[in-house]
């Protein structure tokens, strides 16, 4: 199945240290549109490690979200570290050389763009401003502009030093200049281009398993009833249940999944009910009926008198 984002299922869900991630923005948009899963953006800028408002890729999925995607056949989980190691070992030398050559060519293109921009800036500085060419001026400004232009011509610039088409006095040829120029080698966000080729999903025996959790039946039940679910840690629960997209709706329930025979202390019922009512929601608990597999029963607790 493909969406407007050009994503073909099944797609890869990356397992890293027991957590499930999506690195492709198109896949993230597809999952939100087609599967009503929002996840949590966890990416930060390298120079702003304390960034906690506007986060970016990768998107982290809850264990229940990853399990449901795998169950529906929309995605499959791959251990990122093991896949990387296995791919490097199986990579042919020709593929490695081709990758390095493409990386070198991209670096040269980037350097040429920088040199061209530097040359354009230098030309712009040499051109006198229109304000200094007005009729009737005594020539003072013209003289100053010409002097400034001459000074800039005499001063060496980074574009002149690294420009392959220019031959400085203390250099043998332009090829030596270009080889000593500062190169930038763009590093891809994933190692997939290095060893991954378009292949069908790996056999089931090599896929990373998704652990089963007590809360999964309740998550699946609410998701099947068109609810959007997100982590509920900040409200002291497992999930937040929204009747529609969280960007448009407030959540209606704070949700906690439990086992069928799991005992609940009275103070937990009181605390959950007061908490849900205090944030203008209802506290929902539920679990799978052990006598009727696949059947989930839910109960809502609200505190009166608030």
């Amino acid at each position: 199945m493909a969406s407007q984002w050009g994503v073909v299922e099944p797609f890869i869900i990356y397992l890293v240290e027991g957590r499930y991630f999506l690195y492709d923005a198109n896949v993230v948009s597809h999952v939100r549109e087609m599967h009503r899963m929002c996840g949590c953006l966890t990416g930060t800028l390298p120079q702003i490690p304390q960034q906690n408002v506007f986060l970016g890729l990768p998107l982290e999925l809850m264990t229940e979200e990853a399990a449901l995607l795998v169950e529906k056949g929309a995605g499959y989980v791959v251990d990122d570290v093991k896949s990387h190691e296995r791919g490097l070992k199986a990579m042919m030398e020709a593929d490695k050389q081709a990758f390095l050559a493409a990386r070198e060519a991209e670096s040269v293109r980037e350097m040429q763009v920088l040199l061209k921009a530097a040359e354009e800036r230098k030309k712009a500085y040499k051109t006198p401003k229109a304000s200094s060419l007005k009729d009737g001026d005594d020539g003072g400004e013209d003289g100053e502009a010409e002097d400034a232009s001459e000074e800039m011509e005499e001063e060496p610039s980074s574009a002149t030093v690294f420009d392959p088409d220019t031959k400085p006095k203390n250099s043998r040829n332009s090829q030596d200049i270009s080889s000593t120029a500062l190169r930038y080698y763009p590093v891809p966000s994933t190692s997939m281009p290095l060893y991954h080729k378009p292949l069908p999903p790996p056999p089931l025996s090599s896929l990373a398993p998704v652990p089963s959790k007590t809360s999964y039946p309740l998550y699946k039940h609410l998701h099947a009833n068109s609810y959007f679910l997100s982590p509920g840690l900040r409200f002291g629960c497992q999930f937040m249940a929204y009747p529609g997209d969280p960007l448009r709706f407030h959540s209606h329930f704070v949700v906690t999944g439990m086992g069928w025979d799991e005992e609940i202390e009275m103070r937990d019922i009181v605390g959950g009910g007061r908490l849900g009512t205090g944030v203008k929601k209802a506290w929902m608990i539920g679990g799978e009926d052990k006598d009727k597999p696949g059947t989930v029963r839910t109960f809502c607790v609200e505190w009166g008198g608030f």
Side-chain angles (χ1 to χ4, degrees):
M1 178 176 60
S3 66
Q4 62 173 331
W5 307 102
V7 177
V8 179
E9 297 182 353
F11 49 80
I12 300 178
I13 302 172
Y14 295 91
L15 174 63
V16 182
E17 295 295 332
R19 301 163 67 182
Y20 302 90
F21 294 95
L22 298 176
Y23 289 91
D24 192 332
N26 292 327
V27 175
V28 171
S29 301
H30 172 82
V31 168
R32 188 184 187 101
E33 176 190 2
M34 305 299 295
H35 300 286
R36 302 193 312 278
M37 296 181 185
C38 303
C40 293
L41 292 170
T42 59
T44 60
L45 298 175
Q47 296 181 349
I48 313 179
Q50 300 301 322
Q51 175 187 1
N52 56 9
V53 178
F54 299 104
L55 302 179
L57 296 175
L59 180 86
E60 182 177 358
L61 297 173
M62 294 186 294
T63 303
E64 293 82 2
E65 291 174 327
L68 185 57
L69 288 173
V70 171
E71 182 178 327
K72 295 168 64 175
Y76 58 97
V77 178
V78 173
D79 190 309
D80 195 31
V81 176
K82 293 181 180 179
S83 178
H84 178 83
E85 294 175 350
R86 183 169 57 250
L88 288 179
K89 291 179 181 178
M91 184 177 58
M92 304 296 292
E93 185 65 25
D95 295 334
K96 181 178 179 180
Q97 295 301 326
F99 174 80
L100 293 176
R103 189 179 181 213
E104 181 72 16
E106 185 176 1
S107 174
V108 172
R109 287 194 298 269
E110 293 288 341
M111 184 186 67
Q112 291 175 348
V113 170
L114 292 175
L115 294 177
K116 184 178 180 180
E119 185 66 24
E120 291 178 353
R121 289 196 301 268
K122 183 177 69 173
K123 292 180 179 179
Y125 290 147
K126 288 182 179 180
T127 303
K129 295 182 179 180
S131 60
S132 64
L133 302 177
K134 294 180 180 179
D135 295 336
D137 289 345
D138 57 0
E141 294 183 359
D142 293 342
E144 293 177 0
E146 292 177 359
D147 294 340
S149 177
E150 293 177 357
E151 291 177 0
M152 293 196 65
E153 290 180 357
E154 295 176 358
E155 293 180 0
S157 64
S158 59
T160 304
V161 174
F162 296 128
D163 194 342
D165 298 331
T166 304
K167 295 183 179 181
K169 299 178 181 179
N170 300 327
S171 177
R172 291 173 295 179
N173 52 52
S174 60
Q175 186 175 2
D176 295 339
I177 295 298
S178 61
S179 63
T180 58
L182 181 61
R183 295 286 184 85
Y184 295 93
Y185 294 94
V187 180
S189 59
T190 65
S191 56
M192 182 180 296
L194 184 60
Y195 63 86
H196 180 80
K197 296 181 179 180
L199 296 174
L204 295 178
S205 58
S206 64
L207 297 180
V210 179
S212 58
K213 298 182 68 174
T214 305
S215 57
Y216 178 65
L218 180 57
Y219 174 89
K220 183 179 177 181
H221 171 75
L222 293 174
H223 186 273
N225 284 274
S226 301
Y227 281 94
F228 282 72
L229 292 107
S230 66
L233 179 62
R234 60 181 177 177
F235 285 98
C237 59
Q238 291 177 331
F239 310 116
M240 302 292 298
Y242 299 81
D245 193 305
L247 294 176
R248 299 179 57 194
F249 297 90
H250 288 290
S251 58
H252 285 184
F253 302 101
V254 288
V255 184
T256 302
M258 309 190 72
W260 186 255
D261 295 328
E262 186 176 350
E263 295 184 358
I264 310 175
E265 294 188 8
M266 182 58 66
R267 63 180 179 181
D268 292 335
I269 297 177
V270 174
R274 289 174 63 91
L275 173 63
T277 306
V279 293
K280 299 181 181 180
K281 311 178 195 310
W283 180 49
M284 177 187 293
I285 58 175
E288 184 177 23
D289 191 337
K290 68 175 184 178
D291 298 327
K292 300 178 181 179
T295 301
V296 176
R297 296 191 63 185
T298 60
F299 303 88
C300 289
V301 180
E302 295 185 66
W303 194 263
F306 267 58

